[in-house]
C-alpha cells in the first residue's frame, strides 16, 4: 500500500537494520565445503540501477564472492537492490546506503562494483581506491579526459586492481575476431568500422521539487548543480553536463575492441573528427547531444576507424577490414561473419554473447586475489574512453583535432580546455 | 517580495539584448532567440543556447567573432538569473574566455562557486589568480574546497602555501581535498607538506595525505628521487599503515629500482613478509619484461607455495610475460591447482607447442582433471602440428582415451581423421564405437556420406545402433534428396533384421520425397506390425504438407494398426507447418470436424490462434459454450481478434463482445 510517508536516509537504514537476520546459513560459514567467509571476496555495489541489475548476477554467481552492501541515491532502487542480493543468499544481511562513502568506510569490503552513470564513475573509483578497495567500474569510465587521467594515476599510486567494464574483451566471439586479426588471417588491418544506434532527444521540461527518497545532490555529485528536472535525471546520458550520448555510452565498447584487437592498449589515434552531426531541435528538446553522426579517428600508421551513430539498437556491429578479408561481429546476435567465409572454420566451439560479463568479472576477481593486471586495466580503459571523449570535443567544436601524444595536448586550445571540468565540492576527492 | 536581483532583471535583460544583437549581426542569426540566453532555465526554448554553440564553432577560427561572442557571454553572465543559465555561460566561457571574462566570472565566486569554477580553471592564470587569492582569505571551508579544483588545475606554485595551510587546517573535508590537490604539484614543497600531513590529524586525514604522497611520488621523474623520498616510502611499509598504502608504497619503491623491483620482489617472497606486500611482489615479479623471466621463475619453483605458483602463472599470463617454460613447469607440478592454472593459460593463449605434454599428461590423470585437458585441446587454435599430434595419439590410444580423442579430433574438424575413425564404427568397445559414430556425424562431408551410411547396416549392438541412427540422420541430410531416397531403398534391401528395418523407416523422414512417402504408405498397409506402426509414426511427423492427404485418409478410413491419436497429432503437425499459407483455414475447418475430444480441440485452438482470420475466429467462438475448453477458447479468440482487428474491426469487436457477455456474472 502506498503511503505519503517521507523516507529519509536514516529511516530506511533504521528499517533495514531492524530486519537483521537471526540465522546464518551453514553455507555462509563455509561448513559445507563452500569457500569459507575469510577467503571470500567481500563486495559492495555502488549505483544499483538497471545496468547493475544486469551486472550483479555475474558476480553473485561466483561462490567465492559475498556481496554485503549496496549504495544508491534513490531509495526505491536501494530497496530493490538489497532485496535482490538478499534473495540470492536467502538472508537479509545486505546493508543499504544512500551515501556510498558509508559503504566504503566498511573495512571488510575488499572490492566495489560501480555502475552509477559516468558523471560519477571516475570520482567514485578514486573515492574507493582511497578507501583501499579494488574497483570494477562500468563504462563509460569517465566524463572528461582530465578526471580519467587522474583516476589512472590514483589507481597506479595505490596499487588498486581496476577493471573497466568493457566486457567484450572476455566474450568468445570478439576473442575469435581478435585472434583472426592477430594471427594475420586478414592481412594488415587498414580500417575498423562500427555502428551504434541513433540517439534520443529529451523534450523540454520545467524544474520541479525533488521527490522524497531521492538524494539529488548526491546523484549529481561532481557535476554542476542545476534545478531538479525529472526528464533530465532519467535521460542523463543525452546531456553534455552528465553524459556524452551513445557514441560514448556504447561506442566505447567498440573503441575498446579496436584498441585491444589491434594491440594498441598503450597508444592512441592521432586524429579525431566528428561529422554529419544531426542535433536535436532546440525549440522542442532540451538535450544537447547529437542524434546521428559519423565519428572518425586515425592512428599514426594510417589505420582508420569510423563509428556510425545511426540505425537501430539491433543493428550494431564492429568490422575489422584487412588486406585479404574482413571479420564482423554483430553485437545483437553475437554472430560472426567473415570474408572469406572459410575463416569461420577456425572458430573454437565455444559460445556466449555480450550480455555475459561472467568471464570479465572472473578476471577481476582473480586479480583481486593475485594483484595481477586485469584484462581492461586502468591505462587501457582510459585510452579506449579517451577516443570517445576526443570525438565529443570534436563534435562540440566542429573541427578535426590532432593529438600530440608526447605533450598530451590537442592542436586546439579550446579542445585542451574541454579536457577538464572542475568537479563540484565536496564530491571530488 | 521581489529580490533586488529580480528588480534589476528587466534592465539587465535590455543590456544583454543590445550586446547580443551585435553578436547576432555578426553571426547572421535571428535577434529574438539571443534575448532568452541570460534567463534560460529548463523548460524554455533552448534555441539561444544552441545558437551560442553554433557561433562558438565559427568563433574559434575567427578572432573578431570570438571576442564578440565572449563579450556577449560576459554580459549575459552578468544578468544570469538562475543556475541553468550560469552553468551554461560559465562552461562556454571556460572554453573561449580570456582575461576579459575574469571579473564577470569572479563575481560569482562566493554565491555560485560551482559555476564560477567551471570557467575560472581555464581562464588565464595571471588575471584569474588575484581574485581567487583575495577571496580565499574570506572564504568558508566549503567555498575554498570548491576552488581547490581550480588551483589544482592551474598547478602554479603560488597556490601551494594556501593548499598547505588548508591541508593542515581545522576543516577535515577541505584538508583532505587540499592533500589530494597537492599531489598534482611536482614541487618538493608539496611532497614535504603531504609527508607532514601524513603524520598529524585524524587517521582519515593521515591516510589521505599518505595516499596523496604516493601519487606525488609516482608523478616525479624516477631519476630525480632523493634518498629522503625512498626512506619515507619505506616507512609507509610499516604494518600500522592500511594495506592499500603498504601496497602502493611497495609498488612505488619497486618502480624506482634500477631492476624494476626484481631483487626486492625476490627478497619479499623468500622472507615471507607482510602477506599484503607478498601478493604485490609476486605479481610484480611475474610481470617483469625480461627474456630470462621463465628460467628465473622455474629456478625458484621449489621455494614457492602452491598459491604462489598459481599466482605467478596467472600474473605472468595477465601481463603477457608468460613463457612455454613456465607453463611446462606448471603442467609438471604435483599439485592440481597449479596444473589447472597452467591449463587455463594454455587454452587462453592457444599454446600449441605444449600439445605433446598435454597428451602425455592426459593419460596419467583422473577423469575429472582429464576433462580439463580435453577442453583445453578443444580450445587450441587450428594448427597442423596440433592436428598431427592428435592423430598420432589416436593411432595408439585404446578404450576411454580413444573415445575421448575421437571426440576431440571430430570437434576440431580434422577431416584427415575420417579413415581412422571409420575403422572404429564396429569396434568391440561400445564406448569407442559410439564415439566413432558421433564423430563421423560431425566430420563427414556430403560426398563421403554414402560410404559411411552403408556401415550402419553392419552395426549389431543396440546401444551403438542408437548412436549410428542419429549420425545417419545427420549424414542423410547432407545428401541430395533423390540420393537419400535411393540409399534408403537400397539399404532396405540389405537390412538383415526387423530392428534395422525400423531404423530405416524412422530415417525416411530425412528423405521427404513423394516416392518415399508412397513407400511408407505401402509399409503401413502391408508391412509387419512393428514396421507398419513405425511407418505411421514417420508419416505423422513428415516434414512437408504432402502427408496431409495420406493422414486424412488414415483418419477417415481407420486402420486398426494405427492409433487415432497419432493420426490427429500428425494432421495438427502438418497444419501447423502450413499455418501461414494458402489453405490453412480449410485445414482448420477440416480438423474442427474431426476433433471431438477436449484435448484434441485444445490443440486445434492453439493452431487456430496461429491462423488469424474471420473464419478461424468464428470456429473458435463456436466452442465457447463448452466449459472444458472455455479458457483455451478465450485465449484463442482474444489473440485472433487482436490480429484481425485492423482489417475486420466489426467482426473482432463482436467476438470480443461475445466473450465479455459470456464472462459477465
Amino acid at each position: 500500500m502506498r503511503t505519503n510517508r517521507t523516507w529519509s536516509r536514516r529511516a530506511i537504514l533504521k528499517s533495514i537494520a531492524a530486519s537483521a537476520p537471526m540465522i546464518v546459513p551453514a553455507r555462509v560459514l563455509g561448513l559445507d565445503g563452500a569457500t569459507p567467509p575469510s577467503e571470500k571476496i567481500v563486495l559492495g555495489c555502488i549505483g544499483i540501477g538497471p545496468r547493475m541489475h544486469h551486472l550483479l548476477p555475474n558476480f553473485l554467481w561466483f561462490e567465492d564472492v559475498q556481496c554485503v552492501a549496496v549504495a544508491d541515491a534513490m531509495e526505491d532502487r536501494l530497496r530493490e537492490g538489497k532485496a535482490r542480493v538478499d534473495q540470492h543468499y536467502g538472508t537479509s544481511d545486505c546493508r543499504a546506503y544512500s551515501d556510498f562513502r558509508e559503504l566504503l568506510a566498511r573495512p571488510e569490503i575488499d572490492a566495489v562494483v560501480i555502475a552509477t552513470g559516468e558523471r560519477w564513475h571516475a570520482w567514485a573509483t578514486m573515492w574507493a581506491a582511497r578507501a583501499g578497495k579494488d574497483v570494477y567500474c562500468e563504462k563509460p569510465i569517465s566524463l572528461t579526459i582530465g578526471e580519467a587521467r587522474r583516476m589512472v594515476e590514483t589507481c597506479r599510486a595505490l596499487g588498486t586492481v581496476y577493471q573497466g567494464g568493457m566486457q567484450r574483451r572476455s566474450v568468445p566471439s570478439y576473442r575469435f575476431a581478435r585472434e583472426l586479426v592477430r594471427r594475420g588471417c586478414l592481412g594488415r588491418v587498414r580500417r575498423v568500422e562500427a555502428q551504434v544506434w541513433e540517439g534520443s532527444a529529451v523534450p523540454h521540461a520545467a524544474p520541479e521539487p525533488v521527490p522524497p527518497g531521492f538524494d539529488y545532490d548526491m546523484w549529481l555529485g561532481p557535476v554542476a548543480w542545476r534545478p531538479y528536472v525529472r526528464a533530465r535525471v532519467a535521460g542523463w546520458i543525452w546531456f553534455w553536463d552528465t553524459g556524452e550520448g551513445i557514441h560514448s555510452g556504447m561506442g566505447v565498447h567498440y573503441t575498446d575492441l579496436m584498441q585491444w584487437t589491434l594491440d594498441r592498449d598503450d597508444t592512441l589515434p592521432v586524429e579525431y573528427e566528428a561529422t554529419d552531426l544531426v542535433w536535436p531541435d532546440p525549440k522542442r528538446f532540451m538535450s544537447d547531444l547529437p542524434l546521428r553522426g559519423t565519428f572518425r579517428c586515425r592512428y599514426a600508421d594510417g589505420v582508420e576507424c569510423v563509428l556510425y551513430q545511426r540505425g537501430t539498437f539491433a543493428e550494431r556491429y564492429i568490422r575489422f577490414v584487412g588486406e585479404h578479408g574482413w571479420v564482423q561481429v554483430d553485437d545483437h546476435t553475437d554472430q560472426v561473419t567473415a570474408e572469406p567465409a572459410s575463416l569461420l572454420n577456425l572458430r573454437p566451439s565455444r559460445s556466449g554473447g555480450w550480455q555475459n560479463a561472467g568471464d570479465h568479472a572472473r578476471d577481476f576477481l582473480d586479480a583481486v586475489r593475485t594483484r595481477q593486471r586485469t584484462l581492461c586495466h586502468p591505462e587501457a580503459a582510459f585510452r579506449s574512453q579517451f577516443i570517445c571523449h576526443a570525438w565529443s570535443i570534436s563534435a562540440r567544436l566542429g573541427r578535426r583535432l590532432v593529438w600530440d601524444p608526447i605533450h598530451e595536448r590537442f592542436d586546439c586550445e579550446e579542445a585542451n580546455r574541454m579536457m577538464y571540468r572542475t568537479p563540484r565540492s565536496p564530491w571530488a576527492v | 517580495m521581489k529580490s533586488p536581483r529580480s528588480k534589476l532583471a528587466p534592465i539587465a535583460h535590455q543590456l544583454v539584448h543590445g550586446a547580443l544583437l551585435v553578436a547576432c549581426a555578426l553571426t547572421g542569426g535571428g535577434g529574438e532567440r539571443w534575448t532568452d540566453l541570460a534567463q534560460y532555465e529548463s523548460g524554455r526554448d533552448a534555441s539561444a543556447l544552441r545558437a551560442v554553440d553554433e557561433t562558438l564553432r565559427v568563433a574559434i577560427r575567427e578572432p573578431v567573432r570570438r571576442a564578440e561572442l565572449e563579450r556577449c557571454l560576459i554580459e549575459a553572465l552578468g544578468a544570469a538569473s538562475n543556475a541553468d543559465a550560469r552553468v551554461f555561460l560559465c562552461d562556454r566561457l571556460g572554453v573561449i574566455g580570456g582575461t576579459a571574462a575574469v571579473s564577470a566570472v569572479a563575481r560569482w565566486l562566493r554565491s555560485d562557486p560551482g559555476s564560477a569554477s567551471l570557467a575560472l580553471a581555464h581562464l588565464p592564470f595571471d588575471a584569474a589568480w588575484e581574485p581567487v587569492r583575495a577571496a580565499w582569505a574570506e572564504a568558508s571551508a566549503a567555498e575554498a574546497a570548491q576552488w581547490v579544483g581550480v588551483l589544482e588545475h592551474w598547478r602554479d606554485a603560488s597556490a601551494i602555501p594556501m593548499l598547505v595551510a588548508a591541508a593542515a587546517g581545522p576543516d577535515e573535508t577541505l584538508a583532505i581535498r587540499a592533500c589530494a590537490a597537492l599531489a598534482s604539484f611536482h614541487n618538493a614543497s608539496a611532497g614535504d607538506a603531504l609527508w607532514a600531513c601524513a603524520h598529524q590529524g585524524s587517521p582519515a586525514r593521515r591516510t589521505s595525505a599518505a595516499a596523496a604522497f604516493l601519487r606525488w611520488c609516482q608523478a616525479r621523474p624516477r631519476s630525480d628521487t632523493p634518498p629522503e623520498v625512498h626512506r619515507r616510502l619505506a616507512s609507509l611499509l610499516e604494518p600500522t599503515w592500511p594495506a592499500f598504502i603498504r601496497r602502493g608504497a611497495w609498488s612505488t619503491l619497486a618502480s624506482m629500482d634500477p631492476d624494476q623491483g626484481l631483487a626486492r620482489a625476490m627478497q619479499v617472497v623468500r622472507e615471507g613478509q607482510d602477506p599484503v606486500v607478498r601478493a604485490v611482489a609476486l605479481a610484480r615479479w611475474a610481470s617483469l619484461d625480461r627474456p630470462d623471466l621463465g628460467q628465473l621463475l622455474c629456478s625458484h619453483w621449489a621455494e614457492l607455495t602452491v598459491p604462489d605458483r598459481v599466482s605467478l602463472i596467472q600474473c605472468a599470463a595477465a601481463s603477457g610475460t608468460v613463457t612455454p617454460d613456465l607453463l611446462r613447469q606448471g603442467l609438471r607440478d604435483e599439485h592440481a591447482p597449479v596444473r589447472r592454472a597452467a591449463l587455463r593459460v594454455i587454452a587462453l593463449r592457444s599454446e600449441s607447442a605444449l600439445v605433446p605434454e598435454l597428451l602425455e599428461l592426459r593419460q596419467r590423470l583422473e577423469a575429472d582433471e582429464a576433462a580439463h585437458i580435453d577442453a583445453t585441446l578443444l580450445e587450441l587454435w587450428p594448427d597442423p602440428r596440433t592436428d598431427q599430434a592428435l592423430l598420432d595419439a589416436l593411432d595408439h590410444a585404446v578404450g576411454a582415451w580413444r573415445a575421448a580423442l575421437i571426440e576431440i579430433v571430430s570437434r576440431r574438424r580434422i577431416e584427415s581423421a575420417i579413415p581412422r575413425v571409420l575403422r572404429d564404427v564396429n569396434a568391440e568397445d561400445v564406448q569407442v564405437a559410439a564415439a566413432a559414430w558421433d564423430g563421423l556425424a560431425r566430420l563427414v562431408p556430403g560426398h563421403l556420406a554414402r560410404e559411411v551410411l552403408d556401415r550402419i547396416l553392419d552395426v549389431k549392438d543396440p546401444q551403438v545402433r542408437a548412436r549410428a541412427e542419429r549420425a545417419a540422420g545427420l549424414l542423410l541430410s547432407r545428401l541430395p534428396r533423390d540420393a537419400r531416397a535411393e540409399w534408403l531403398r537400397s539399404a532396405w534391401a540389405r537390412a538383415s533384421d526387423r530392428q534395422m528395418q525400423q531404423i530405416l523407416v524412422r530415417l525416411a523422414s530425412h528423405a521427404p520425397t513423394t516416392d518415399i512417402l508412397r513407400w511408407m504408405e505401402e509399409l503401413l498397409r502391408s508391412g509387419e506390425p512393428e514396421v507398419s506402426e513405425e511407418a505411421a509414426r514417420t508419416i505423422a511427423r513428415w516434414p512437408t504438407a504432402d502427408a496431409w492427404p495420406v493422414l486424412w485418409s488414415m483418419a477417415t478410413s481407420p486402420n486398426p494398426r494405427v492409433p487415432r491419436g497419432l493420426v490427429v497429432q500428425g494432421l495438427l503437425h502438418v497444419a501447423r507447418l502450413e499455418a501461414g499459407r494458402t489453405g490453412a483455414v480449410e485445414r482448420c475447418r477440416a480438423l474442427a470436424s474431426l476433433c471431438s475430444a477436449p484435448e484434441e480441440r485444445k490443440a486445434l485452438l492453439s493452431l487456430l490462434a496461429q491462423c488469424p482470420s474471420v473464419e478461424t475466429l468464428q470456429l473458435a467462438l463456436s466452442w465457447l459454450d463448452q466449459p472444458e475448453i472455455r479458457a483455451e477458447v478465450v485465449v484463442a479468440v482474444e489473440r485472433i481478434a487482436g490480429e484481425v482487428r485492423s482489417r475486420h474491426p466489426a467482426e473482432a469487436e463482436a467476438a470480443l463482445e461475445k466473450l465479455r457477455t459470456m464472462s459477465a456474472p
Side-chain angles (χ1 to χ4, degrees):
Chain A
M1 190 181 76
R2 193 180 165 85
T3 69
N4 58 0
R5 177 180 175 185
T6 304
W7 279 87
S8 68
R9 185 174 63 81
R10 280 182 195 286
I12 192 171
L13 292 177
K14 208 170 159 184
S15 72
I16 289 163
S19 58
M22 299 302 290
I23 300 165
V24 179
R27 188 165 69 86
V28 176
L29 295 173
L31 300 180
D32 61 352
T35 309
S38 60
E39 289 174 26
K40 287 197 177 203
I41 294 171
V42 181
L43 206 65
C45 297
I46 299 175
I48 189 111
R51 179 58 197 150
M52 185 67 90
H53 280 276
H54 280 102
L55 196 54
L56 189 57
N58 292 296
F59 285 91
L60 297 181
W61 188 81
F62 292 112
E63 200 268 333
D64 62 340
V65 166
Q66 183 80 25
C67 180
V68 298
V70 293
D72 202 289
M74 297 182 182
E75 280 182 1
D76 50 350
R77 286 187 175 182
L78 202 52
R79 271 196 298 274
E80 280 172 32
K82 174 184 158 49
R84 180 149 193 186
V85 175
D86 284 343
Q87 187 186 17
H88 175 82
Y89 292 118
T91 68
S92 55
D93 291 358
C94 180
R95 297 289 302 271
Y97 300 95
S98 59
D99 184 337
F100 73 86
R101 291 170 299 182
E102 292 179 57
L103 180 152
L104 293 178
R106 286 180 60 172
E108 79 276 25
I109 291 180
D110 301 304
V112 291
V113 183
I114 301 173
T116 50
E118 57 257 47
R119 68 194 174 283
W120 256 119
H121 282 164
W123 295 104
T125 297
M126 287 185 265
W127 276 99
R130 217 186 50 119
K133 316 301 183 198
D134 294 323
V135 177
Y136 181 107
C137 184
E138 252 312 308
K139 55 80 210 172
I141 63 152
S142 56
L143 194 56
T144 68
I145 292 170
E147 69 192 32
R149 169 49 68 200
R150 168 89 177 270
M151 180 277 288
V152 172
E153 287 169 6
T154 303
C155 289
R156 191 191 300 144
L158 302 180
T160 309
V161 167
Y162 174 95
Q163 175 88 298
M166 289 76 137
Q167 78 274 11
R168 282 163 180 75
R169 286 189 182 219
S170 301
V171 171
S173 48
Y174 294 100
R175 296 187 81 100
F176 170 65
R178 181 178 187 244
E179 281 303 308
L180 287 181
V181 170
R182 283 163 51 100
R183 288 170 185 269
C185 302
L186 308 178
R188 184 173 167 268
V189 171
R190 297 190 178 284
R191 177 181 160 91
V192 182
E193 188 182 305
Q195 180 168 316
V196 295
W197 60 97
E198 189 172 325
S200 298
V202 181
H204 289 300
E208 54 194 299
V210 179
F214 179 33
D215 188 343
Y216 178 55
D217 200 44
M218 164 68 79
W219 184 88
L220 279 173
V223 303
W225 188 89
R226 286 170 178 272
Y228 170 76
V229 178
R230 188 170 39 184
R232 212 175 237 284
V233 169
W236 56 265
I237 191 176
W238 309 116
F239 293 91
W240 173 244
D241 278 4
T242 46
E244 281 190 297
I246 214 62
H247 78 268
S248 174
M250 180 64 200
V252 70
H253 277 304
Y254 294 137
T255 57
D256 186 62
L257 286 168
M258 174 179 72
Q259 290 273 106
W260 178 63
T261 302
L262 302 181
D263 268 337
R264 295 183 189 216
D265 274 348
D266 56 355
T267 185
L268 276 170
V270 291
E271 285 178 19
Y272 303 86
E273 189 169 26
T275 56
D276 311 324
L277 299 165
V278 177
W279 301 86
D281 174 4
K283 290 194 184 308
R284 295 169 54 209
F285 302 106
M286 60 178 175
S287 50
D288 54 1
L289 292 172
L291 301 170
R292 291 190 291 279
T294 304
F295 301 87
R296 296 173 197 278
C297 61
R298 194 179 64 78
Y299 290 95
D301 64 356
V303 175
E304 283 186 336
C305 168
V306 57
L307 175 80
Y308 299 108
Q309 182 177 320
R310 66 186 183 195
T312 66
F313 177 73
E315 292 172 310
R316 59 200 195 276
Y317 70 89
I318 186 166
R319 175 187 282 210
F320 296 90
V321 184
E323 290 165 311
H324 310 315
W326 52 260
V327 60
Q328 174 169 324
V329 183
D330 288 304
D331 205 61
H332 200 62
T333 56
D334 196 40
Q335 192 185 359
V336 185
T337 45
E339 179 61 43
S342 57
L343 291 173
L344 300 177
N345 294 334
L346 301 171
R347 191 176 187 186
S349 54
R350 277 195 64 185
S351 60
W354 59 272
Q355 294 98 332
N356 178 9
D359 287 350
H360 209 52
R362 186 67 255 172
D363 180 66
F364 169 67
L365 296 168
D366 287 347
V368 170
R369 288 192 191 287
T370 64
R371 316 311 296 174
Q372 73 198 42
R373 198 172 71 160
T374 55
L375 204 49
C376 192
H377 53 89
E379 284 84 358
F382 163 70
R383 291 196 177 87
S384 301
Q385 190 64 65
F386 178 101
I387 298 170
C388 299
H389 288 325
W391 279 336
S392 294
I393 295 173
S394 170
R396 298 196 69 79
L397 294 177
R399 59 161 287 177
R400 188 175 69 102
L401 298 172
V402 176
W403 175 249
D404 174 352
I406 308 294
H407 300 98
E408 300 206 328
R409 309 281 288 172
F410 288 111
D411 64 337
C412 164
E413 181 48 30
E414 292 78 12
N416 289 326
R417 289 184 177 199
M418 292 172 90
M419 289 201 292
Y420 175 80
R421 270 186 253 175
T422 314
R424 195 166 63 99
S425 183
W427 308 109
V429 63
Chain B
M1 195 179 78
K2 275 191 167 182
S3 71
R5 189 177 296 162
S6 61
K7 283 178 187 168
L8 287 172
I11 303 163
H13 182 269
Q14 289 195 356
L15 284 172
V16 173
H17 184 63
L20 291 176
L21 278 175
V22 179
C24 175
L26 285 167
T27 54
E32 290 71 20
R33 65 184 181 185
W34 290 87
T35 59
D36 287 337
L37 188 58
Q39 292 175 340
Y40 174 77
E41 64 179 340
S42 299
R44 290 193 179 188
D45 184 343
S47 298
L49 276 58
R50 297 295 84 80
V52 167
D53 286 340
E54 281 168 27
T55 310
L56 192 145
R57 285 180 202 120
V58 180
I60 60 170
R61 294 188 186 90
E62 297 178 20
V64 177
R65 286 198 182 195
R66 183 194 182 101
E68 197 53 50
L69 177 62
E70 184 185 6
R71 195 165 67 80
C72 294
L73 292 174
I74 291 169
E75 294 285 349
L77 181 61
S81 56
N82 62 65
D84 275 326
R86 282 196 299 277
V87 169
F88 176 82
L89 293 164
C90 286
D91 183 78
R92 277 21 173 215
L93 274 173
V95 177
I96 60 138
T99 306
V102 170
S103 59
V105 173
R107 203 192 122 196
W108 295 102
L109 260 177
R110 306 292 297 274
S111 52
D112 189 354
S115 299
S117 302
L118 284 176
L120 265 184
H122 302 295
L123 298 183
F125 172 78
D126 292 342
W129 162 245
E130 188 49 34
V132 175
R133 192 198 59 75
W136 184 276
E138 310 268 311
S140 68
E143 287 163 4
Q146 179 61 56
W147 304 338
V148 167
V150 178
L151 300 180
E152 183 182 358
H153 187 64
W154 281 337
R155 290 190 195 181
D156 192 281
S158 328
I160 291 179
M162 280 155 63
L163 291 171
V164 169
D171 187 86
E172 191 83 350
T173 306
L174 176 59
I176 289 172
R177 183 76 186 90
C179 283
L182 278 168
S184 298
F185 290 78
H186 298 161
N187 316 52
S189 57
D192 291 341
L194 286 171
W195 186 247
C197 290
H199 294 85
Q200 62 193 29
S202 68
R205 195 187 294 205
R206 288 204 300 270
T207 307
S208 296
F213 179 72
L214 290 173
R215 196 155 70 81
W216 176 85
C217 290
Q218 287 264 350
R220 291 180 66 82
R222 220 175 291 150
S223 56
D224 186 27
T225 311
E228 183 57 24
V229 172
H230 282 267
R231 273 195 295 279
R232 287 171 176 173
L233 284 168
S235 77
L236 290 177
L237 296 174
E238 293 297 321
T240 48
W241 288 102
F244 74 99
I245 295 290
R246 304 204 299 276
R247 269 199 302 255
W250 192 91
S251 299
T252 308
L253 277 167
S255 69
M256 291 171 172
D257 289 342
D259 65 353
Q260 291 290 298
L262 175 63
R264 194 182 288 274
M266 287 169 67
Q267 188 194 357
V268 169
V269 173
R270 254 197 319 270
E271 294 174 10
Q273 296 171 346
D274 180 354
V276 166
V277 170
R278 187 181 170 82
V280 185
L282 275 167
R284 177 128 202 138
W285 189 10
S287 64
L288 290 174
D289 191 10
R290 298 169 58 105
D292 61 343
L293 183 72
Q295 289 169 332
L296 200 60
L297 293 172
C298 293
S299 64
H300 288 81
W301 201 251
E303 300 164 30
L304 301 170
T305 65
V306 172
D308 283 351
R309 294 174 192 179
V310 172
S311 282
L312 276 177
I313 291 171
Q314 285 186 213
C315 291
S319 306
T321 53
V322 74
T323 62
D325 282 346
L326 179 60
L327 294 172
R328 215 167 267 129
Q329 182 79 42
L331 283 180
R332 285 190 207 122
D333 199 278
E334 59 192 302
H335 301 284
V338 183
R339 295 195 295 269
R340 199 77 55 82
L343 278 177
R344 202 170 139 202
V345 175
I346 291 168
L348 274 174
R349 294 177 55 86
S350 200
E351 291 282 357
S352 303
L354 295 170
V355 170
E357 277 88 347
L358 289 175
L359 292 170
E360 191 265 322
L361 183 65
R362 169 65 170 75
Q363 296 172 73
R364 288 192 282 115
L365 297 177
E366 298 296 321
D368 179 36
E369 206 174 343
H372 285 278
I373 295 191
D374 294 353
T376 305
L377 288 167
L378 282 177
E379 285 284 299
L380 295 177
W381 192 261
D383 182 295
R385 285 173 308 166
T386 305
D387 293 355
Q388 193 53 52
L390 288 166
L391 292 175
D392 291 346
L394 184 60
D395 286 340
H396 303 102
V398 291
W401 175 220
R402 186 170 188 83
L405 268 174
I406 290 172
E407 183 176 350
I408 291 166
V409 296
S410 64
R411 285 193 185 278
R412 289 181 62 85
R413 304 183 194 101
I414 307 175
E415 285 195 19
S416 53
I418 292 174
R420 289 172 172 87
V421 179
L422 201 52
R423 284 200 289 270
D424 284 332
V425 292
N426 277 315
E428 279 182 24
D429 186 329
V430 171
Q431 198 180 357
V432 172
W437 280 107
D438 288 349
L440 290 169
R442 288 187 203 104
L443 274 177
V444 173
H447 69 277
L448 296 176
R450 185 155 181 154
E451 185 191 343
V452 179
L453 280 166
D454 283 342
R455 305 292 290 269
I456 194 176
L457 299 169
D458 303 330
V459 177
K460 302 292 178 213
D461 184 276
Q463 205 181 328
V464 180
R465 274 189 168 180
R467 303 284 272 275
E469 182 184 339
R470 194 182 139 274
L474 290 165
L475 292 170
L476 265 180
S477 61
R478 288 173 207 159
L479 291 175
R481 283 202 175 192
D482 290 344
R484 295 180 211 176
E486 188 199 329
W487 179 79
L488 275 171
R489 291 282 202 179
S490 79
W492 179 264
R494 289 176 285 152
S496 55
D497 57 65
R498 185 71 35 75
Q499 282 74 27
M500 183 52 71
Q501 286 180 335
Q502 282 174 282
I503 287 175
L504 293 171
V505 170
R506 281 197 293 273
L507 287 172
S509 64
H510 293 281
T513 61
T514 325
D515 179 38
I516 294 291
L517 183 62
R518 210 169 296 128
W519 179 38
M520 290 299 111
E521 274 188 275
E522 281 169 26
L523 290 175
L524 189 66
R525 283 194 297 270
S526 58
E528 295 296 326
E530 297 97 324
V531 175
S532 175
E533 194 176 327
E534 205 59 68
R537 286 185 201 288
T538 301
I539 295 170
R541 59 167 186 271
W542 201 252
T544 70
D546 296 342
W548 177 270
V550 182
L551 286 161
W552 188 253
S553 90
M554 284 159 73
T556 47
S557 326
N559 179 341
R561 290 178 179 184
V562 183
R564 177 191 145 79
L566 186 65
V567 175
V568 175
Q569 221 176 327
L571 285 165
L572 282 164
H573 160 71
V574 175
R576 218 169 274 127
L577 288 177
E578 298 285 299
R581 300 188 188 152
T582 323
V585 174
E586 284 70 27
R587 283 191 197 94
C588 289
R589 204 174 287 131
L591 274 166
S593 66
L594 190 71
C595 295
S596 51
E599 290 313 311
E600 292 172 355
R601 289 189 169 178
K602 282 180 188 176
L604 178 56
L605 280 164
S606 122
L607 172 66
L608 293 180
Q610 292 173 36
C611 308
S613 70
V614 173
E615 291 85 347
T616 53
L617 185 66
Q618 299 307 331
L619 266 177
L621 269 179
S622 67
W623 289 338
L624 189 59
D625 56 353
Q626 297 184 20
E628 310 96 307
I629 58 169
R630 184 172 294 158
E632 286 75 11
V633 171
V634 170
V635 171
V637 168
E638 283 176 345
R639 195 165 299 166
I640 300 168
E643 290 287 327
V644 303
R645 179 175 280 157
S646 56
R647 282 171 292 130
H648 306 284
E651 287 85 347
E653 189 46 44
L656 292 170
E657 181 55 34
K658 198 166 180 186
L659 287 189
R660 282 192 286 272
T661 316
M662 287 293 283
S663 59

